[in-house]
Amino acid sequence: MEKINLYIDFDGVILDTINPLYQKLKEDNVPDEKIKEFFTNYDWEKIINDKYIINDSISCIQKIIDSEKFNLAILTHINSLHEAELKIKYLRKYFKDITIIPCPKTISKTKMVHTKDSILVDDYAGNLREWQHDGGIPVRFSQKNNGKGFAVVDKLDQLIEMF
C-alpha cells in the first residue's frame, strides 16, 4: 500500500503557542502595525516547551509514525529563523528522523510542498481552504471538535483510523 503524504502544523496543533502569544499581544497592547515585529522578536523559548503540548500530541505523532501509513512531515509557519531553530530543536528531542519544513509566514504552505492528494492537519481554516483549493485533503485540528466545514480531529492519532 502506498503511503499518504501527511503534513502536520505545529502552532495550535502540537503545541499551544497561539493562546499565550495573543495573550501577550493583548497585555502589551501591541498596535496592529507592530504585530509582525512582535512575532519576529518574540522570545519563543518561553512557549516552545512541554508545558504547551496539546492533547498528548508528541505520543500521538509517534503512534502515527509507528502505523507506517504516512509519509509524515511537520509543516510550520515561522516568523523568524530563531523560531524555526527552536521548533526544530524541540521536535528533535522526540523524533530523530522526521521531516520538518519551516515555512516563512508570508508564503502559503501550498507553495512549499506538493498538496495534491496530501493531507494537511491545521487549526487555521484559512490554510485548510488554500490546501483544499490546491487539491489537498484538509483536516482541521480543534480541541472543541469544530471542523468549520472540514473533517476534524482533536487528537492526532485519530488520523490513523481516518485514512
Side-chain angles (χ1 to χ4, degrees), residues 63-75:
K63 288 177 188 174
I64 290 169
I65 292 167
D66 293 344
S67 79
E68 298 184 355
K69 291 177 82 170
F70 304 96
N71 295 315
L72 175 64
I74 307 303
L75 179 60

Side-chain angles (χ1 to χ4, degrees), residues 16-134:
D16 181 15
T17 57
I18 306 294
N19 288 321
L21 279 170
Y22 281 95
Q23 183 178 343
K24 184 70 172 151
L25 271 173
K26 189 176 178 181
E27 283 173 14
D28 292 358
N29 200 24
V30 177
D32 288 348
E33 64 274 6
K34 296 285 188 177
I35 290 175
K36 182 178 179 183
E37 183 181 326
F38 170 85
F39 283 121
T40 301
N41 297 319
Y42 185 77
D43 182 5
W44 290 90
E45 291 176 17
K46 291 180 179 178
I47 58 174
I48 298 180
N49 60 62
D50 289 348
K51 175 181 173 185
Y52 295 100
I53 291 175
I54 300 173
N55 291 359
D56 205 23
S57 62
I58 299 300
S59 38
C60 287
I61 291 170
Q62 188 58 58
K63 288 177 188 174
I64 290 169
I65 292 167
D66 293 344
S67 79
E68 298 184 355
K69 291 177 82 170
F70 304 96
N71 295 315
L72 175 64
I74 307 303
L75 179 60
T76 180
H77 270 133
I78 57 161
N79 299 280
S80 67
L81 287 176
H82 181 63
E83 178 188 353
E85 290 168 7
L86 291 172
K87 287 179 176 179
I88 292 165
K89 184 178 174 184
Y90 178 80
L91 290 165
R92 286 286 175 246
K93 281 192 323 186
Y94 296 102
F95 311 107
K96 301 300 179 220
D97 189 27
I98 193 171
T99 301
I100 305 165
I101 306 166
C103 176
K105 187 74 171 160
T106 56
I107 297 175
S108 170
K109 291 179 179 181
T110 63
K111 304 301 180 214
M112 295 296 291
V113 297
H114 297 287
T115 57
K116 181 89 170 104
D117 299 325
S118 297
I119 303 163
L120 173 65
V121 180
D122 204 313
D123 60 310
Y124 179 57
N127 290 337
L128 296 172
R129 279 190 292 277
E130 288 179 1
W131 197 263
Q132 187 172 41
H133 180 265
D134 279 12

